């Protein structure tokens, strides 16, 4: 997950960083759901994260 993207949690705005529920290593015992959408720009397709739920 990129750390330079602004996000909101419970109505509070954050300039970037990592939500406290996400482990810094990407591994842990917390169940995390991610919603995403495929986006095409200039003929290249990538997945953009829309939401993180922990």
């Amino acid at each position: 997950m990129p750390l330079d993207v602004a996000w909101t949690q419970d109505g509070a705005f954050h300039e970037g960083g990592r939500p406290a529920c996400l482990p810094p290593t990407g591994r842990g015992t917390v169940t995390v759901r991610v919603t995403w959408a495929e986006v095409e720009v200039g003929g290249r397709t990538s997945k953009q994260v829309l939401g993180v739920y922990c």
Side-chain angles (χ1 to χ4, degrees):
M1 301 268 312
L3 300 179
D4 61 343
V5 176
W7 53 281
T8 60
Q9 179 179 7
D10 300 325
F13 180 79
H14 302 271
E15 291 286 336
R18 176 185 308 279
C21 66
L22 292 179
T25 62
R27 297 175 186 207
T29 58
V30 176
T31 299
V32 177
R33 291 186 309 126
V34 177
T35 57
W36 54 270
E38 284 191 359
V39 178
E40 183 179 336
V41 177
R44 298 186 69 196
T45 302
S46 66
K47 295 177 181 171
Q48 298 294 310
V49 173
L50 302 176
V52 177
Y53 307 90
C54 1

